[in-house]
Amino acid sequence: LVPVVYCITPTYSRAVQKAELTRLANTFRQVPRFHWLVVEDSGQKTALVGALLAGCGVAHTHLNVATPRRFKRAGQPRATEQRNEGLKWLRRNRAASRDRGVVFFADDDNTYSLELFHEIRSVRQVGVWPVGLVGGRRYERPLVERGRVVGWYTGWRPDRPFATDMAGFAVNLEVLLLNPKAMFKRRGSQPGMQESDFLKQITTMEELEPKADNCTKVLVWHTRTEKANLVNESRDKQEKIYIEV
Ligand code: UDP
Ligand code: MN
């Protein structure tokens, strides 16, 4: 049996949320041996996300944890607690599993090609690949020489030990189980350093497995969704029903 691909998706309530999750489900539904861990940034699981997951046709687990108020500001990394909640679930619920697995962090607004999941599934320890539309460039990527990662093509903080976006790597479940304390950090971590801080705990640059044809193909894009324009919202007396959007 091929390994299961586990995707951890942090998500939060906003006007575009259902559209984002619908688009993601339409991609993930086409991926075999896939398990979606959806972690709401909320004190409670919402009915909107619950109903969407129930009908999405993708094997999933619905989790939630609220980001503490003090971390909900500009200059703070996003979704730290949610990604850690996904890791905690995997360690609790998949430690005894005989099935192999690979874990990937899939933000709800990015764009994922189906080819990416073939690459992810073959990751033995930690795999890396290019990410499109990120870091103020068309793409960032690991630089590869003779099949080994030797550095990073990036326009932003090239001093990062692992200069990759969250969408640019995946980790074998076994590596997460062998490093039970590896987590995303709030303390001492700056925005954009979460990936590096995390990867430092579980691997070295020499050990990284370059994917996507030696990191020469973009299979995932760090797209961002425009905030919905709701300037004409009003409590219209003519509208008698509530419609979930
Ligand atoms: N996110 C979250 N809570 C927040 C802000 C963001 O759970 O308060 C999630 C969001 O849904 C996404 C991930 O964290 O899956 C990254 O957020 P975003 O896409 O806004 O970050 P960026 O694109 O700037 O890296
Ligand atoms: Mn994003």
Side-chain angles (χ1 to χ4, degrees):
L1 274 180
V2 296
V4 175
V5 172
Y6 292 97
C7 272
I8 299 178
T9 298
T11 186
Y12 70 111
S13 180
R14 65 226 194 259
V16 298
Q17 184 182 31
K18 190 174 179 182
E20 303 280 41
L21 295 176
T22 297
R23 201 177 52 234
L24 240 56
N26 288 347
T27 301
F28 296 164
R29 194 180 301 116
Q30 306 182 66
V31 183
R33 303 262 299 160
F34 185 94
H35 189 126
W36 194 12
L37 299 171
V38 178
V39 191
E40 288 195 70
D41 181 353
S42 159
Q44 274 107 38
K45 293 178 182 65
T46 65
L48 185 150
V49 174
L52 184 135
L53 288 176
C56 77
V58 179
H60 62 268
T61 300
H62 188 181
L63 301 168
N64 70 284
V65 58
T67 304
R69 273 260 295 284
R70 64 186 181 283
F71 297 137
K72 280 262 192 191
R73 351 186 205 94
Q76 280 289 336
R78 296 181 179 135
T80 303
E81 290 75 18
Q82 289 72 33
R83 294 190 188 100
N84 286 337
E85 192 69 15
L87 292 174
K88 188 169 92 185
W89 187 91
L90 286 167
R91 287 171 174 140
R92 280 197 184 157
N93 295 280
R94 289 298 181 268
S97 169
R98 278 159 297 141
D99 285 355
R100 290 172 302 148
V102 183
V103 181
F104 173 57
F105 299 96
D107 287 356
D108 64 2
D109 55 343
N110 292 339
T111 305
Y112 306 95
S113 74
L114 295 180
E115 259 183 279
L116 177 69
F117 300 97
H118 292 287
E119 301 297 310
I120 290 175
R121 221 182 286 280
S122 70
V123 169
R124 301 180 64 183
Q125 293 187 66
V126 180
V128 291
W129 51 80
V131 177
L133 312 179
V134 73
R137 291 201 174 174
R138 294 172 61 240
Y139 61 86
E140 289 181 340
R141 74 176 191 103
L143 295 169
V144 179
E145 276 175 20
R146 281 176 245 100
R148 297 268 167 213
V149 176
V150 295
W152 309 90
Y153 172 84
T154 176
W156 187 77
R157 292 204 60 168
D159 59 314
R160 287 176 289 164
F162 299 87
T164 177
D165 183 75
M166 207 58 79
F169 68 93
V171 182
N172 197 292
L173 181 57
E174 200 168 60
V175 174
L176 294 176
L177 297 174
L178 288 170
N179 295 276
K181 292 195 174 137
M183 290 205 299
F184 292 94
K185 300 246 158 82
R186 284 278 177 200
R187 265 177 57 161
S189 122
Q190 305 155 270
M193 293 304 278
Q194 295 228 100
E195 296 86 347
S196 261
D197 287 341
F198 180 70
L199 289 169
K200 263 192 322 211
Q201 300 169 59
I202 56 171
T203 191
T204 62
M205 191 159 80
E206 295 70 39
E207 289 176 317
L208 295 176
E209 299 153 54
K211 296 292 176 188
D213 276 354
N214 276 323
C215 301
T216 61
K217 282 186 172 169
V218 170
L219 303 178
V220 56
W221 295 263
H222 185 257
T223 45
R224 304 185 74 191
T225 302
E226 189 180 6
K227 197 168 183 264
N229 175 357
L230 302 177
V231 289
N232 293 324
E233 270 294 272
S234 72
R235 262 165 292 178
D236 191 329
K237 295 274 184 326
Q238 286 177 310
E239 183 54 302
K240 295 285 190 291
I241 59 170
Y242 174 79
I243 301 187
E244 184 185 275
V245 175

